[in-house]
Amino acid sequence: MDNEPRPACCMDAGVGAVVIGGDGRICQVDADWSASLGLSVAALLGQTLDVLLDPPPSWELLSAPRPWRGKLRLRCGGAGERWLRAHLVPVLDEAGRMRCCTLMFEPLPPMPSPEVGEGVSRSQLLESVADSASDAIVVARLERLEVIYANRAAHLLFGCDPESRDMIGRAGGQFWPEDGLAVLEALLPEALAGGWRGELRQRRLDGSEFLADATIFALPSPIGAPELVAGMLRDLSARQQAERQRRLAHFALERSGDEVFLLDAEARFVYVNESMHETLGLSRERLLTMSVPDIDPLFPPQRLQEVFARLLEESSIRLETIHQRGDGSRFPVEILASHFVVDGEPYYSCIGRDITERVAARRALEESQEYLDTLIDVLPDALFAIDGEGVVTIWNRAIEQMSGVPREQVLGRAGRVYATAFYGEQRPMLIDMVSAAPEKCEEIMRCYDHVHRDGDVLLAQLHLPRVYGGRGAYVWGKAVPLRDTAGRVFGALEIIRDISELKEAERALRLSEARFRSVVSNTPVMIFEFDADGVFRLCEGSGLESLGLEPGALVGQSVAGFLGADSGVETHIARAIGGDKVQFTAALGRQVFETYFNPVRDPGTGSGVSVIGVAVDVTERTEREAELRQRTDELTRFTYTVSHDLKSPLVTIRTFLGFLERDIAAGDEARIAKDLGFVRKASERMTRLLDELLELSRIGRLVNDPTEFSLREVVDEVLELVAGRIVERGVEVTVSDAPAWILGDRPRLTEVFLNLIDNAVKFMGDQSAPRIEIGLERLDDALVVVVADNGKGIDPRHLHKVFGLFERLDLEGDGTGIGLALVQRIVEVHGGRIWAESPGPGQGARFCFTLAGLELRPAG
């Protein structure tokens, strides 16, 4: 039969192999060999052997526990056949049953022909065919595991040079990890008995390791006992990497701070992540029995179907709704939903984010906008604004009164309707110069007596004869561009002030503009991985943006170096690598991150190989907690004062009213007068305490217009107010003559000096030569006002309490403990700070403060 003509594909078929599973079907094929037959691997996988052999071996032969060799007739794509030598090697399970078997083919020696020269040996042909196989083939001596043959694919897989064949002759042990030799010794008996197949960890020549799908079996020996062992290996690194990425993605999904869930076509939950069941306070098992209407009161089934219908037309949908926790409480969420199909069934992927803070911020923003609109409307100056298209966006009440044109006629309109309101025609105005070309600016400037440009601010003065119903007025105008947070001009604003009765303009105009602010819509989260040496291997997430870092910027850097040794991170790293889950707070500058370390274990060995970390920015929460603690402390002290200090005068009044009734009945005029004195004194103390509390509450809310005045003026004014007490105690007061000027709220700053000077006189003690000095000093670049005395002084241990609300270091005095707290708030509102200094009791005290509007310069 070999002498008959054969198809070319059969003639080229060389050494090859197929693996047959326990069900008798082909589960693995030598790709190069099958290609030489004109057959694809896909066409053979899952088929029985009769697609290749005629007739195929019987099931009894395939499932026999011993190797077999013989000749089999090979089909060739239905176009011909050929006899091949076959080697059958079974792989048995622990019970001795066939798990799979390997059927290796090699061609029988061909008849001499002109195509094969005498110089080409059969072994060379076999080696050439094996060398072209895509799987690695290695043959080693069983005694010393010395490699006696390795094909080209094996050299490339193990990092050896295929040209020099430098893998041959090497000890096979160097291609196994140190802990892998014991694995080899354990599987060799099974491989020698009938073959072994499974996954093994191997080592390349450079020391790197990889996972391989391996088939190991003994080669038949003419003496009976096997001398050679062969292995066929396929690199599984790509599959391992894909599995690792899948685990990382699943971990990130589970640890995400957002709710992540999947819905079926009936809106039932088919997957929920850890964050969702923790946020809702419901177990994962419970949620998987529920549907969306069970947790979302705003989404009845009818509305859900409308959303699902939209998702068929749109790639994704973003919407806001309400979620209800297991305890009945509700919170707002933003849902990002998308649609996909698996096996013909529709599913919906959803990400839910708690937007409680965003909703609160939005509400605050709306309230702020309302406040801004009200503020603009009550400003005494007339003003209006336009956008980039010349459409009027603001027209306040003052400009209505000045022009006589109500806002309804101009808001939302273009075409220079604002000019018509002032001139009766659509002529250019100062506001048009903000974005006009240079040649147009010259044309507009000819409409004004004088225009002054200061950067991108335009100033002009002119007479408007049509305003105020034809009465006319001289006005001062100022036009400025409006910019967004990126610095881009989106419009312009013009302010018009009536200066008819003004002798001179204000020295400076401070117009506070509160515009829309960006709200951070997601909690910065940083996801990273580091190895056993504490070095970043992965660093991703939007949380990096808050630190000014790009994704991947930290790869290769030390985790301890990044987070800082002071955070104790080295201990946390050691614990996480050791297998513990770790949670701690790390501070990076002013930012605070809640950080989680979770170990990743090698599924083969169970040992830790790396650590996955998640860092959540909690800076704002930390600051709010600190502020809340401070406000709580103040409230506690306030409550104590109200319940104690206010109660004390009331008790006095109630007591002496009782005495007064008795003394009136007795007609004792002397005691009546005394009783009334006690009642009057108690009511005066209560009135003073309430007045100071009211004054304290107003600081920062009720502000007088800032004016400029000299330091000496306000000090002299205060000295006149307390002159009686100064003369009574015989206090010598010296005041610096330095030409210091202050720009600020004069009535408030007068209270600062009044409190400090009055306290200095009040707490002189028994000083025989009382003295107060008021002067100026330099501290770094700041100018410091100093009020110093030689009175009772303060214990240095109590200096930090001096400015505390309701703190009274001298319990014998008649103070309320509010005065210095009031002084501190006034100074801070003026952009300064205040502190007290004293060497100790009996050695006097110094009160020092700075102000943003304080400067030294000659008068005039």
Side-chain angles (χ1 to χ4, degrees), residues 340-360:
F340 63 98
V341 177
V342 176
D343 296 332
E345 295 292 330
Y347 292 91
Y348 305 92
S349 172
C350 302
I351 300 175
R353 174 164 295 166
D354 185 342
I355 56 172
T356 302
E357 293 184 2
R358 188 199 303 179
V359 170

Side-chain angles (χ1 to χ4, degrees), residues 711 736 738 740 742 753 773-787 827 832-837 846-852 854-856:
L711 175 67
S736 170
I742 302 172
F753 286 99
E773 297 178 359
I774 304 170
L776 293 171
E777 295 180 359
R778 280 282 182 186
L779 179 62
D780 298 328
D781 295 332
L783 196 61
V784 181
V785 179
V786 180
V787 178
V827 169
R833 67 185 185 94
I834 186 168
W835 66 95
E837 301 173 352
R846 285 164 44 97
F847 284 81
C848 313
F849 64 91
T850 63
L851 296 171
L854 177 64
E855 62 176 9
L856 280 175

Side-chain angles (χ1 to χ4, degrees), residues 418-441:
Y418 47 86
T420 305
F422 286 98
Y423 300 104
E425 59 179 343
Q426 296 180 353
R427 53 157 280 179
M429 288 184 62
L430 192 64
I431 197 171
D432 297 308
M433 291 184 62
V434 171
S435 57
E439 59 273 14
K440 288 291 185 182
C441 289

Side-chain angles (χ1 to χ4, degrees), residues 395-599:
W395 191 266
N396 77 341
R397 189 177 303 278
I399 205 168
E400 283 184 320
Q401 296 170 350
M402 178 180 285
S403 66
V405 176
R407 68 186 67 188
E408 292 79 10
Q409 295 183 15
V410 291
L411 283 180
R413 297 180 58 190
R416 291 181 177 167
V417 293
Y418 47 86
T420 305
F422 286 98
Y423 300 104
E425 59 179 343
Q426 296 180 353
R427 53 157 280 179
M429 288 184 62
L430 192 64
I431 197 171
D432 297 308
M433 291 184 62
V434 171
S435 57
E439 59 273 14
K440 288 291 185 182
C441 289
E442 294 180 3
E443 177 185 342
I444 298 172
M445 289 178 66
R446 287 196 290 270
C447 299
Y448 295 87
D449 297 335
H450 174 70
V451 176
H452 172 70
R453 180 183 291 273
D454 183 5
D456 55 5
V457 177
L458 298 167
L459 303 171
Q461 292 186 14
L462 75 161
H463 182 262
L464 296 175
R466 294 172 57 92
V467 297
Y468 297 122
R471 175 168 59 87
Y474 284 97
V475 297
W476 165 88
K478 177 179 180 181
V480 296
L482 298 176
R483 301 180 184 274
D484 59 21
T485 55
R488 296 184 294 267
V489 175
F490 67 87
L493 172 73
E494 182 166 340
I495 304 168
I496 304 173
R497 177 176 294 175
D498 183 354
I499 58 171
S500 301
E501 299 180 358
L502 295 179
K503 299 296 183 180
E504 58 184 18
E506 288 277 339
R507 183 179 176 194
L509 174 65
R510 290 181 173 86
L511 177 64
S512 174
E513 299 180 14
R515 309 304 297 172
F516 295 105
R517 294 178 176 83
S518 298
V519 179
V520 177
S521 62
N522 56 356
T523 303
V525 176
M526 182 169 57
I527 301 175
F528 54 88
E529 179 187 16
F530 58 85
D531 57 23
D533 295 325
V535 176
F536 284 110
R537 287 166 39 182
L538 172 73
C539 189
E540 300 290 340
S542 60
L544 292 168
E545 298 176 3
S546 63
L547 299 174
L549 298 174
E550 295 291 333
L554 298 176
V555 174
Q557 296 187 29
S558 164
V559 179
F562 174 67
L563 295 178
D566 295 341
S567 65
V569 69
E570 293 179 352
T571 302
H572 301 319
I573 291 173
R575 286 182 56 201
I577 293 175
D580 293 340
K581 292 184 178 181
V582 181
Q583 176 182 350
F584 65 98
T585 300
L588 296 175
R590 66 170 293 276
Q591 291 178 271
V592 181
F593 287 85
E594 195 74 29
T595 308
Y596 303 84
F597 286 170
N598 292 273

Side-chain angles (χ1 to χ4, degrees), residues 638-657:
F638 178 81
T639 303
Y640 174 80
T641 299
V642 170
S643 63
H644 182 271
D645 287 21
L646 291 181
K647 185 177 180 181
S648 179
L650 287 174
V651 171
T652 300
I653 292 171
R654 187 183 301 114
T655 300
F656 279 94
L657 283 176

Side-chain angles (χ1 to χ4, degrees), residues 785-800:
V785 179
V786 180
V787 178
D789 65 68
N790 62 345
K792 287 185 176 182
I794 304 170
D795 190 326
R797 295 176 302 173
H798 300 150
L799 285 173
H800 67 283

